[in-house]
Structure formats: C-alpha cells, structure tokens
C-alpha cells in the first residue's frame, strides 16, 4: 500500500469540498433549468469527490486511482462524440435553439418546444376570443395575427392562410403576410410587378386540382418542399428576384378529421431552407390555428342564425298584423280565406280593398325570401297597390306600375308572386292579372267546370320593363273564384306527395253550394288531413270569392 503524505491531505480535502459545492450548483441549475447540464460532467464530479474524501479518511491511493479511471471511461465517449461532430450540424443546432416569441409572453427555446407551444396556443386563443365582438367575429384581425406569428415562430419570410369553400370547391386566400413568391402560374393579365402580384395573390382562389394548394387540401397531407423547381405541382414564373422560389411548407388545417383550409410558408430564394424542426413547429401551430378559426366561424354562424331567427320572428309578427283578421260583408259576394304560416316565416300576404261601389280589389301575394327584406317588399307592394287601386286603371296596368316600383329598388333583390282581382259588383265583371306562381281558378256553376284562368308570367320585381297582361270575365251567381299561393298546391304529406290542383278542385266541387267562408274552411281541413304530421316549409294561403 502506498502511503499518502500528510501535506497532500490539504489540497485533497479542499478539492473534495469544491466538488461538493460544484454538485450543489449543478443541482440548482437542473432545478431552475437555467442551462443544460451534461450527465457525464455530473458523474465525473461525484466520482472525484468520493475518491478524494475516501483518500483523506483512509490514506491510500487505490480508491482515488479507481475513481480517476472510471471518470476517464465516462468522459472518453463524450469527448469522442463531440470531437467527431460536423461543424455545420453544430451551427444548425445552435440556430435551431433560438428564442421563440408569442406576443410578449412566450420566450422559450426549441428544447422546451412543447411547453412553449402551450403558451403559444393560449396566446392564439386569447387573441381569437378577444376579437369575437368585431363585425366579422374578429376573423380578419385574427388571421393577421396568425400570419405574423407564423413568420416569427418558423423563421419564414412569408405566410399565407387559405380557407376551403365547400360550396364552390375552391380554396381561397384569406391572409397574405410578408414575402411569398407565387408557386403557381400568374394570369396573363397580371404584370410582373411586385405590388400587382401581391395584390392579385391576396384575393386568389384555387381549384382543388392542378396546383399545390389544391393537392395539399385534397390529400390532407403536410409537405416540406426544399427544391420547388423539381416539383411538378409548383410553377416557376419569370426570373425577377421577387418571383424566384425558395423553400416551402404546406400544412392543412384540420378539425374533426376534416380539412377546413391550409397554411403555407415560404423562404426567399437564396436564404437557408426550412429545417425539419421548423416544419414540425408549423404542423403543431396548424392545430391551434384550425381550432381558433373554427371557433370563430361557428360563433359567427350562431350569431347569424340567431339574428335571422329574430328577424323572422319580427317579420312574421308584422306580417300577421297586415292580414285581415276578418273579411267584411261585401255587396254581391261571399268571401272566405285562411292563412297558415310556417314557423316564424314571412312570405304570404292577402288583402281586400273596397275602392268604390264598382271596384272591390282582392290581392294574394307570396314574397320570396324569409327575412326583413321580404317584409319590406311586402309592405311596398301593399302600399303601392292600395294607392293605385283607387285609380281607373286596369288590373294589368296596376300590376305593371307596382312592378316598376319594386324592380326599380336595386338594393332589394327580392320579388313576389301576385294575383290581383278587381270585382265590379254592379256589372258582375272581374278584371284580373297575375305574375309568378299564384294561380287564379274559376268554378262555373253553369257547367260545373273548374279551370285555371290566370296566365303564367314572371314575378313582380324581376324586370322593371315587364308589362303584365290584364283579362276580364263576366260572372254569374254561383260562380266561385279561388286564388292561392303555391304553399297550397305544393303542400306535402308524409309520403312526399303533393296536394295538387286535383285535390283543390275536388273540395271546391263538393262544396260549391256552400258560402265562401265554408268553402275556405273545407279547403283548410282537407289540406290538414292530407298533410298530417308532415312539416310544411312554406306559408299556405287561400282566398275564396263566391258570386251571389
């Protein structure tokens, strides 16, 4: 056994105390995560401390020598690994461990990417929900924020967010940020000037075939493209610097296993291409962005549906107030009517106007659309007809004038089917005119026939130059005129069969001896029995005029 000189105890003891201090600081560094600690360095320090303390307490070099030997075995593989690493890999790793920012609250390194992206997700959702009160639910400002963050977090030079339009089968650009050379062939009418190209790209739409954007959304697959000129889906435009292609990342936005859009990232020509780590970050960010966008669009749909429901409720309430609750006694005729409204839908309207002794006007209208615009058109038709009816004009002229007034209002894209009857009780004559789908039927007591007497003409409000045809017939006691909306003829039962003209004819013929009110009630009951529990999606209105 080799003895240890007593003077050697002092440096050995001091070194062992220093090792204890080093180990303590290493533990603090690990707990606080202020730096990355090499496991090899940790083991070697512990072995050296044990070897020196044992040597001080038991004067012998055997344990110290053994500790040095083990420490050498631990350090050697570490030194070999680090010594044989390529310099460019080290430089890339150093670059990849740069800071990530999300707003002003997230600052993590890529080694802690999972924890950092949770903070990014929170920042994304905070920003998305904070804009829900904006007119478009905050979608515009949220996409702007996402575009900037995509560039920041992936070191991209440009970003693009596109959303899928299922109805038109296209994918449309919703946000373009930074420098993004078009990976598709520019239209011939777009000059190769940077501002014109960027403006064109901001409103571009792409089909789902024949381009990189459509291919990504169709295949629902993410792609890192480092050499775009070798990819047949990508088109290289002219050689202007701003059109030259660098590397690209394309990632679909997926919610509930369905693609709703995609994100695209670009790096300028000549810059370092995207790394696998940046590609991985883009894929993770796409999940956050997809959820945020879907949340905003769902919120907007709920608000829009709620607004439409409220509009429909208000419009239906006003509509019912316009329809006569009770038809007054009239000279020479008995009348009956009924109105069966679909839930909170404004569509049908009928009216009765006593202009003078020789002119009683009957109006049946069915306005397209089911919202406040429908109500506006209904009110306009009602006001115009009530005003013009007091003139001596024919039914065709009155309807033509009303049509000009409705069609002239370009801001309202609704129209209406209208049937107008003017009864002269003195001479027992009826003038009539119609446009759209509201038929006018005549039951002749003399031969028990039931025929449609109205002409098929385009609805009121479609074309202001339209001139409606007017007709006139003489009527006799017992004759019955029926006008209705298409909700009657097209009413469906549980088997999907329509009520039809024949069913209406049958009820009128069976009850021709009754007065107008009873005939209308019989039609109402017959339709109710025919439809059963089937849900009706259109208003049902009938107006019966029986000549006495």
């Amino acid at each position: 056994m080799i003895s240890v000189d007593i003077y050697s105890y002092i440096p050995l003891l001091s070194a062992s105390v220093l090792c204890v201090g080093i180990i303590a600081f290493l533990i603090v560094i690990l707990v606080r995560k202020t730096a990355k600690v090499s496991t090899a360095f940790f083991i070697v320090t512990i072995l050296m401390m044990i070897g020196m303390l044992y040597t001080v307490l038991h004067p012998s070099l055997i344990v110290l020598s053994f500790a040095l030997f083990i420490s050498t075995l631990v350090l050697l593989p570490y030194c070999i690994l680090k010594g044989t690493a390529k310099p460019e890999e080290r430089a890339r790793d150093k670059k990849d461990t740069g800071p990530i920012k999300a707003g002003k609250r997230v600052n993590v390194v890529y080694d802690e990417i999972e924890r950092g992206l949770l903070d990014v997700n929170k920042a994304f959702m905070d920003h998305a929900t904070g804009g829900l009160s904006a007119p478009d639910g905050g979608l515009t400002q949220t996409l702007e924020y996402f575009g900037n963050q995509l560039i920041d977090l992936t070191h991209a030079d440009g970003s693009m967010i596109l959303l899928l339009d299922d109805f038109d089968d296209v994918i449309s650009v919703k946000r373009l940020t930074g420098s993004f050379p078009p990976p598709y062939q520019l239209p011939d009418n777009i000059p190769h000037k940077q501002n014109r190209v960027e403006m064109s790209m901001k409103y571009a739409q792409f089909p789902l075939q024949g381009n990189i954007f459509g291919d990504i959304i169709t295949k629902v697959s993410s792609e890192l493209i480092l050499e775009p000129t070798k990819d047949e889906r990508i088109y290289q435009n002219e050689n202007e610097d701003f059109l030259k292609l660098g590397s690209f990342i394309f990632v679909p936005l997926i919610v509930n296993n369905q693609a709703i859009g995609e994100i695209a990232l670009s790096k300028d020509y000549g810059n370092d291409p995207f790394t696998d780590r940046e590609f991985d970050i883009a894929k993770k960010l796409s999940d956050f962005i997809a959820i945020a966008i879907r949340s905003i669009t769902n919120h907007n749909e709920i608000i829009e549906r709620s607004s439409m429901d409220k509009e429909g409720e208000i419009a239906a309430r006003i509509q019912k107030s316009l329809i006569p609750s009770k038809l007054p006694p009239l000279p020479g005729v008995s009348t009956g009517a009924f109105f069966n409204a679909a839930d909170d839908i404004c569509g049908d309207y009928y009216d009765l106007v006593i202009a003078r002794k020789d002119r009683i006007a009957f109006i049946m209208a069915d306005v397209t659309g089911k919202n406040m615009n429908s109500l506006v058109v209904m009110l306009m038709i009602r006001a115009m007809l009530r005003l013009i009816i007091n003139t001596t004009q024919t039914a065709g002229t009155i309807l033509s004038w009303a049509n000009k007034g409705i069609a002239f209002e370009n801001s309202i894209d609704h129209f209406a089917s209208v049937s107008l009857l003017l009864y002269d009780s003195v001479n027992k004559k009826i003038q009539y005119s119609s446009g759209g789908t509201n038929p006018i039927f005549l039951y002749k007591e003399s031969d028990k026939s039931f025929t449609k007497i109205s002409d098929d003409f385009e609805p009121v409000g479609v074309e202001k130059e339209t001139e409606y045809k007017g007709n006139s017939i003489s009527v006799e006691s017992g004759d019955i005129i029926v006008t209705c909306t298409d909700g009657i003829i097209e009413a469906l039962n549980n088997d999907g069969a329509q009520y039809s003209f024949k069913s209406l004819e049958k009820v009128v013929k069976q009850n021709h001896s009754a007065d107008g009110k009873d005939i209308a009630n019989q039609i109402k009951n017959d339709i109710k029995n025919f439809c059963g529990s089937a849900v009706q999606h259109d208003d049902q209105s009938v107006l019966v005029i029986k000549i006495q």
Side-chain angles (χ1 to χ4, degrees):
M1 180 180 295
I2 301 173
S3 63
V4 180
D5 187 85
I6 190 170
Y7 295 106
S8 300
Y9 292 168
I10 297 176
L12 286 175
L13 183 60
S14 300
S16 61
V17 172
L18 290 175
C19 286
V20 172
I22 291 172
I23 293 171
F25 276 108
L26 290 177
I27 294 173
V28 171
I29 292 171
L30 285 174
V31 171
R32 297 185 62 190
K33 297 181 180 180
T34 56
K36 186 176 180 180
V37 177
S38 171
T39 304
F41 185 55
F42 205 103
I43 294 173
V44 167
T45 305
I46 293 175
L47 288 174
M48 293 298 295
M49 179 195 68
I50 293 173
M52 287 184 290
L53 284 177
Y54 188 88
T55 302
V56 170
L57 298 175
H58 303 84
S60 173
L61 291 178
I62 185 63
V63 175
L64 181 59
S65 300
F66 184 75
L68 289 172
F69 176 72
I70 298 298
S71 298
T72 302
L73 290 180
V74 172
L75 285 175
L76 183 61
Y78 177 79
C79 294
I80 293 174
L81 179 64
K82 293 298 182 180
T84 57
K86 296 180 180 180
E88 57 269 23
E89 292 180 354
R90 173 60 180 166
R92 186 186 64 187
D93 291 341
K94 184 176 181 181
K95 178 180 178 181
D96 285 349
T97 54
I100 296 179
K101 300 176 182 177
K104 294 183 179 180
R105 294 175 296 185
V106 181
N107 186 11
V108 296
V109 292
Y110 286 139
D111 291 327
E112 299 169 338
I113 192 65
E114 297 295 339
R115 182 170 62 87
L117 285 177
L118 288 176
D119 291 335
V120 172
N121 182 30
K122 183 179 183 301
F124 276 18
M125 295 308 295
D126 285 348
H127 196 92
T129 56
L132 292 178
S133 59
D136 64 344
L139 183 60
T140 300
Q141 65 186 52
T142 299
L143 293 181
E144 179 181 2
Y145 173 81
F146 288 166
N148 291 327
Q149 290 301 303
L150 282 169
I151 291 176
D152 191 24
L153 298 171
T154 62
H155 303 143
D157 294 305
S159 68
M160 186 182 287
I161 301 176
L162 307 94
L163 296 183
L164 178 65
D165 188 330
D166 290 324
F167 183 78
D168 292 328
D169 285 335
V170 296
I171 183 166
S172 305
V173 177
K174 296 300 181 181
R175 185 68 194 179
L176 175 65
T177 306
S179 171
F180 201 109
Y184 59 93
Q185 185 174 8
L186 291 170
D188 293 337
N189 62 340
I190 301 298
H192 288 188
K193 296 182 179 180
Q194 189 166 357
N195 61 335
R196 291 294 303 275
V197 171
E198 289 178 356
M199 183 61 65
S200 171
M201 292 180 66
K202 287 180 179 179
Y203 303 98
Q205 291 184 331
F206 304 98
L208 300 185
Q209 295 84 30
N211 61 89
I212 183 64
F213 299 111
D215 190 66
I216 294 296
I217 203 75
T218 302
K219 294 180 179 178
V220 195
S221 63
S222 303
E223 291 197 34
L224 169 61
I225 300 177
L226 301 179
E227 297 182 276
T229 55
K230 296 182 180 180
D231 194 314
E232 61 181 10
R233 298 167 300 175
I234 296 178
Y235 184 85
Q236 171 66 67
N237 289 282
E238 299 298 331
N239 291 323
E240 288 93 339
D241 288 341
F242 74 94
L243 293 177
K244 290 182 178 179
L245 306 177
S247 57
F248 290 98
I249 289 175
F250 298 94
V251 183
L253 299 173
I254 303 172
V255 178
N256 295 331
N257 297 321
Q258 290 186 334
I260 65 170
E262 69 183 84
I263 60 173
L265 303 170
S266 70
K267 282 202 175 184
D268 291 341
Y269 178 80
N271 289 351
D272 291 337
F274 286 111
T275 64
D276 290 336
R277 183 65 63 83
E278 289 163 344
F279 182 39
D280 187 56
I281 292 172
K283 289 187 287 186
K284 288 182 170 65
L285 292 176
S286 72
D287 294 335
F288 305 153
I289 294 174
I291 293 172
I293 290 175
R294 176 50 59 89
S295 298
I296 292 174
T297 55
N298 285 347
H299 170 268
N300 292 347
E301 288 174 2
I302 292 171
I303 295 299
E304 182 179 0
R305 192 179 302 116
S306 175
S307 177
M308 290 180 64
D309 290 344
K310 290 180 180 178
E311 281 190 4
E313 183 180 350
I314 295 171
R317 193 158 54 241
I318 298 176
Q319 172 196 23
K320 291 175 183 178
S321 70
L322 298 177
I323 296 174
S325 58
K326 184 178 181 181
L327 297 178
L330 299 172
V333 296
S334 68
T335 58
F338 81 82
F339 166 66
N340 182 28
D343 292 340
D344 292 337
I345 290 179
C346 175
D348 290 4
Y349 139 77
Y350 64 84
D351 200 5
L352 184 153
V353 181
I354 305 174
R356 52 184 184 271
K357 186 177 181 180
D358 62 346
R359 174 166 286 191
I360 302 172
F362 299 92
I363 304 162
M364 177 65 73
D366 182 3
V367 183
T368 61
K370 308 300 178 185
N371 51 30
M372 294 302 289
N373 276 351
S374 304
L375 178 62
V376 170
V377 173
M378 182 182 295
L379 292 171
M380 291 174 67
I381 291 175
R382 184 176 187 270
M384 289 180 184
L385 291 180
R386 279 180 166 248
L387 179 63
I388 305 172
I389 281 169
N390 286 305
T391 68
T392 58
Q393 299 298 322
T394 64
T397 301
I398 291 173
L399 207 58
S400 297
W401 286 4
N403 173 70
K404 284 182 171 64
I406 300 299
F408 185 77
E409 184 55 63
N410 295 327
S411 62
I412 301 178
D413 60 353
H414 288 61
F415 48 88
S417 296
V418 180
S419 57
L420 171 64
L421 300 100
L422 303 176
Y423 178 55
D424 180 353
S425 61
V426 176
N427 299 303
K428 285 194 173 183
K429 287 188 176 181
I430 289 181
Q431 294 182 34
Y432 63 91
S433 183
S434 65
T437 58
N438 292 354
I440 301 174
F441 303 106
L442 172 64
Y443 170 81
K444 289 293 293 182
E445 178 63 24
S446 58
D447 60 4
K448 304 297 188 289
S449 63
F450 186 80
T451 57
K452 177 185 175 184
I453 60 173
S454 57
D455 298 314
D456 293 328
F457 231 73
E458 64 185 10
V460 172
V462 174
E463 176 53 56
K464 62 183 178 182
E465 301 302 327
T466 300
E467 296 292 334
Y468 290 89
K469 181 181 178 181
N471 298 284
S472 179
I473 58 171
S474 295
V475 291
E476 302 172 345
S477 297
D479 290 350
I480 302 169
I481 296 93
V482 179
T483 183
C484 62
T485 58
D486 58 0
I488 295 293
I489 304 300
E490 297 175 0
L492 300 175
N493 63 12
N494 288 318
D495 296 326
Q498 289 188 346
Y499 183 69
S500 78
F501 162 81
K502 289 295 183 182
S503 298
L504 180 63
E505 177 185 19
K506 180 180 179 181
V507 176
V508 173
K509 285 184 174 182
Q510 288 178 345
N511 297 277
H512 69 92
S513 59
D515 61 18
K517 182 178 181 180
D518 287 339
I519 294 173
N521 286 335
Q522 289 299 324
I523 296 173
K524 179 180 180 180
N525 292 335
D526 193 58
I527 290 176
K528 184 178 180 180
N529 291 333
F530 174 82
C531 295
S533 59
V535 177
Q536 303 303 311
H537 300 286
D538 199 2
D539 291 351
Q540 299 171 344
S541 300
V542 165
L543 185 59
V544 177
I545 307 164
K546 183 173 182 180
I547 308 301
Q548 294 180 330

